[in-house]
């Protein structure tokens, strides 16, 4: 291995092309995902990216012709022509318009190898060759796709290449699953303390204090939980931080002694200073918009394509301040409500109007509390209720300022910050590892697929040792 592999057409390799139905089924509130181009995300299907849901009857109709199976590759013919995603195990969905299935058949190709071969540079060369530039949208024709040629190593090498790349991908996926669990833990703690008031209900029940009728259902659930064999009560020193009574407020019953405050009483909310397009640079300090903050909110590394000068950044820093550790940025136009907690190592500026900036905590430094509030179902409902606009929705600084939010006593907030801060640290470490693994995968993939890199090369051995060390 070391020289380029021969290139063979998909047709010769036994890859079947299956086209989808060229119409769209009716959407329903609950049903089966109908996966389209917006759900294609870095080689994987993002089922959480709000796919259309369709009825079971329509699912059966739409999968008679193209029924996605594990090992298939989904190819987009339009918009992002040439992009592919891999059909995972135990998935159930129908295929949207402008997508086709590539299904390995026969003995010449290891099924998982196709997943990686359609991400190599040779694949994109073929896409560029067959794009139809005369159309309103650049597109690929079904009759041309089987002609695409990809490298064909011996099948034994295909298997080894696939294993190396899939092992890296599996570790990235494992980190993602761990992070989902960690984030669920943080949200569960927020809900228990600040929505369901579990510690307060425990104290009230033990003290024999009355529970308001509006909280009776929560109290009944808590009593049932306390009676279960696996119930783990909060330590006494933690429970003592919470009151044992409730009082009425403008937002309903809350723990006695806690308060309701407008967000503007807790933090400063603003945006950045205006940066004009003529000030954009090719290098310097990264300049983020909503899309970059949305990516950062998912734990992904971003590569900015817009910068401002170091001098301009320093001017803003001296006169007005720049994002610093603990500040929060919220996407405020288009995709609304994604939140990013600024880290100590961050050094960037951002676009006014697209993003809203939470900073300068007045009484308590509680960034993780605010992050979890925005993620909570109540927080999402509030953000939904203050959106304005029809063609392009937005939220304003004034509307955020007026949001009413629960404030506990300082001891409870400090303990919550301590717990969730440790969770966020674990999430960040996993994200850093995954980002590094993605870099390794993206470096190895084109070289392995093309035959440029040997399987026993130092780069491959280093990747193996990194995975074996876990």
């Amino acid at each position: 291995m070391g020289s380029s592999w021969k290139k063979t057409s998909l047709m010769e390799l036994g890859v079947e092309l299956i086209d989808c139905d060229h119409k769209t089924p009716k959407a329903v509130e609950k049903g089966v995902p109908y996966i389209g181009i917006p759900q294609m995300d870095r080689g994987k299907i993002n089922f959480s990216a709000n796919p259309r849901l369709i009825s079971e009857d329509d699912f059966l109709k739409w999968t008679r012709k193209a029924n996605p199976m594990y090992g298939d590759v989904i190819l987009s013919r339009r918009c992002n022509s040439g992009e592919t995603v891999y059909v995972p195990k135990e998935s159930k969905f129908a295929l949207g318009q402008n997508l086709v299935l590539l299904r390995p058949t026969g003995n010449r190709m290891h099924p998982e190898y196709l997943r990686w071969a359609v991400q190599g540079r040779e694949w994109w060369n073929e896409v560029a060759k067959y794009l139809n530039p005369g159309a309103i949208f650049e597109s690929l024709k079904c009759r041309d796709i089987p002609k695409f040629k990809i490298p064909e190593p011996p099948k034994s090498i295909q298997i080894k290449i696939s294993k190396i790349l899939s092992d890296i991908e599996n570790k990235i996926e494992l980190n993602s699953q761990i992070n989902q669990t960690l984030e669920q833990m943080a949200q569960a703690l927020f809900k228990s303390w600040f929505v369901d008031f579990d510690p307060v209900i425990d104290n009230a029940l033990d003290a024999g204090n009355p529970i308001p009728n509006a909280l009776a259902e929560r109290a009944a659930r808590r009593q049932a939980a306390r009676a279960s064999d696996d119930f783990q009560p909060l330590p006494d020193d933690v429970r003592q931080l919470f009151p044992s009574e409730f009082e009425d407020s403008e937002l309903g019953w809350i723990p006695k002694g806690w308060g309701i405050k407008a967000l503007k009483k807790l933090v400063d909310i603003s945006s950045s200073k205006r940066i004009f397009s003529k000030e954009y640079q090719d290098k310097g300090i990264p300049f983020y918009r909503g899309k970059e903050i949305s990516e950062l909110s998912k734990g992904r590394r971003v590569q900015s394509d817009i910068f401002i000068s170091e001098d301009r950044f320093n001017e803003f820093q001296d006169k007005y301040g720049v994002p610093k550790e603990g500040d929060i940025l919220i996407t405020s136009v288009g995709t609304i409500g994604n939140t990013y907690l600024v880290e100590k190592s961050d050094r960037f500026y951002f676009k006014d109007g697209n993003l809203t900036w939470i900073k300068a905590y007045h009484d308590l430094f509680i960034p993780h509390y605010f992050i979890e509030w925005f993620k909570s179902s109540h927080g999402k409902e509030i953000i939904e209720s203050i959106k304005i606009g029809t063609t392009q929705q937005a939220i304003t600084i004034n509307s955020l300022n007026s949001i009413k939010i629960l404030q506990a006593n300082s001891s409870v907030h400090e303990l919550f910050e301590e717990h969730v801060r440790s969770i966020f640290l674990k999430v960040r470490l996993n994200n850093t590892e995954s980002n590094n693994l993605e870099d390794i995968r993206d470096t190895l993939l084109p070289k392995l697929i093309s035959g440029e890199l040997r399987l026993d090369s130092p780069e491959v051995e280093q990747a193996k040792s990194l995975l074996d060390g876990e």
Side-chain angles (χ1 to χ4, degrees):
M1 184 173 176
S3 58
S4 297
W5 306 115
K6 69 173 182 177
K7 296 180 179 63
T8 310
S9 71
L10 295 179
M11 182 184 299
E12 292 176 280
L13 289 169
V15 177
E16 181 184 2
L17 186 145
I18 306 171
D19 197 6
C20 66
D21 280 306
H22 293 194
K23 52 185 178 179
T24 303
K26 180 182 177 181
V28 298
E29 288 188 8
K30 293 182 179 180
V32 182
Y34 176 78
I35 298 300
I37 292 171
Q39 286 73 48
M40 299 178 71
D41 186 7
R42 299 187 180 195
K44 292 181 286 188
I45 300 172
N46 185 353
F47 287 97
S48 63
N50 300 317
R52 174 188 290 262
L53 300 179
I54 64 174
S55 68
E56 192 71 33
D57 286 344
D58 278 342
F59 167 75
L60 294 175
K61 292 177 185 175
W62 259 257
T63 54
R64 286 173 186 166
K65 184 177 180 182
N67 185 16
M69 298 168 54
Y70 169 61
D72 288 350
V73 167
I74 301 172
L75 166 66
S76 173
R77 296 194 303 106
R78 287 180 62 183
C79 297
N80 54 349
S81 304
E83 290 287 344
T84 60
V85 294
Y86 190 62
V87 177
K89 293 180 180 178
E90 299 177 359
S91 56
K92 179 181 178 180
F93 62 92
L95 208 61
Q97 290 194 57
N98 300 312
L99 301 179
V100 297
L101 293 176
L102 301 179
R103 178 170 296 164
T105 62
N107 298 318
R108 289 183 67 170
M109 175 175 286
H110 178 58
E112 196 151 319
Y113 174 74
L114 179 63
R115 169 189 186 181
W116 303 111
V118 294
Q119 297 182 48
R121 64 173 73 98
E122 291 82 3
W123 173 258
W124 287 107
N125 289 339
E126 294 293 288
V127 170
K129 185 192 304 182
Y130 285 101
L131 270 179
N132 179 15
I136 297 175
F137 297 100
E138 286 191 335
S139 60
L140 297 170
K141 297 178 180 178
C142 287
R143 68 171 180 266
D144 289 332
I145 295 169
K147 303 173 188 175
F148 283 24
K149 291 185 177 182
I150 59 174
E152 184 191 8
K155 195 168 183 180
S156 60
I157 301 297
Q158 294 178 29
I159 293 170
K160 291 177 181 178
I161 290 173
S162 299
K163 185 178 188 316
I164 292 167
L165 297 173
S166 294
D167 284 350
I168 294 173
E169 189 67 28
N170 290 340
K171 176 56 179 169
I172 294 171
E173 183 61 30
L174 177 61
N175 283 347
S176 176
Q177 292 171 3
I178 292 172
N179 280 356
Q180 286 179 19
T181 300
L182 289 169
E183 289 164 1
Q184 288 167 2
M185 289 170 56
Q187 189 57 217
L189 184 64
F190 176 88
K191 185 174 184 293
S192 175
W193 286 13
F194 302 110
V195 177
D196 294 336
F197 308 131
D198 289 336
V200 185
I201 289 176
D202 286 345
N203 290 344
L205 291 172
D206 290 346
N209 292 334
I211 304 290
N213 288 336
L215 302 180
E217 188 176 335
R218 293 185 203 174
R221 289 198 305 266
R222 188 62 180 170
Q223 283 181 306
R226 283 157 55 103
S228 65
D229 294 336
D230 57 353
F231 177 72
Q232 295 182 344
L234 285 173
D236 289 341
D237 60 332
V238 175
R239 279 182 54 175
Q240 289 172 10
L241 303 176
F242 292 83
S244 59
E245 298 177 81
F246 292 92
E247 62 185 8
D248 205 1
S249 78
E250 58 186 306
L251 294 183
W253 290 95
I254 62 172
K256 188 172 182 178
W258 292 14
I260 303 296
K261 288 189 176 182
L263 200 53
K264 65 182 178 181
K265 298 291 186 181
L266 302 174
V267 291
D268 287 350
I269 304 177
S270 65
S271 190
S272 63
K273 296 300 178 181
R274 177 68 55 87
I275 294 286
F276 297 97
S277 58
K278 64 183 180 181
E279 299 179 80
Y280 293 167
Q281 307 279 321
D282 293 330
K283 59 182 179 179
I285 302 298
F287 185 69
Y288 292 159
R289 297 148 295 181
K291 68 176 185 178
E292 285 87 8
I293 292 301
S294 290
E295 288 295 288
L296 287 170
S297 73
K298 300 171 187 175
R300 294 173 173 171
R301 184 186 297 157
V302 297
Q303 296 292 333
S304 180
D305 54 6
I306 300 178
F307 301 85
I308 64 172
S309 70
E310 187 90 26
D311 288 344
R312 195 75 163 121
F313 177 80
N314 290 335
E315 178 188 343
F316 286 136
Q317 187 172 38
D318 293 340
K319 290 184 177 179
Y320 315 108
V322 297
K324 65 179 187 299
E325 183 180 16
D327 291 353
I328 296 171
L329 291 175
I330 309 167
T331 56
S332 303
V333 175
T335 300
I336 294 173
N338 289 338
T339 54
Y340 175 63
L341 181 60
V342 179
E343 300 182 16
K344 187 175 183 179
S345 59
D346 284 330
R347 197 162 183 259
F348 66 88
Y349 206 60
F350 63 96
K351 186 173 178 60
D352 65 297
N354 286 40
L355 298 160
T356 306
W357 185 8
I358 290 181
K359 60 178 181 176
Y361 297 82
H362 296 174
D363 299 323
L364 296 169
F365 183 69
I366 49 175
H368 296 94
Y369 174 74
F370 286 121
I371 284 286
E372 296 306 323
W373 184 89
F374 279 106
K375 289 181 180 178
S376 70
S377 57
H378 175 67
K380 290 177 180 177
E381 287 173 5
I382 296 297
I383 294 300
E384 190 67 29
S385 71
I386 63 173
K387 287 180 180 178
I388 60 172
T390 52
T391 304
Q392 186 175 48
Q393 292 191 313
I395 53 175
T396 67
I397 291 174
N398 285 340
S399 62
L400 283 169
N401 270 324
S402 64
I403 288 174
K404 299 295 179 64
I405 194 166
L406 177 69
Q407 184 177 31
N409 59 61
S410 60
S411 298
V412 168
H413 275 303
E414 287 167 3
L415 185 59
F416 181 79
E417 289 296 310
E418 180 183 333
H419 283 320
V420 180
R421 189 183 303 113
S422 66
I423 291 174
F424 267 57
L425 177 59
K426 293 173 185 175
V427 169
R428 287 194 197 106
L429 290 173
N430 286 337
N431 284 334
T432 298
E433 181 183 53
S434 292
N435 287 330
N436 291 336
L437 287 170
E438 286 182 358
D439 288 343
I440 293 171
R441 179 201 62 200
D442 293 345
T443 300
L444 292 180
L445 190 154
K447 295 180 179 180
L448 288 172
I449 296 298
S450 67
E452 176 185 341
L453 197 63
R454 295 178 60 88
L455 285 167
D456 59 357
S457 68
E459 296 97 321
V460 175
E461 292 302 323
Q462 182 181 11
K464 288 180 180 178
S465 63
L466 180 62
L467 293 169
D468 291 342
E470 297 300 325

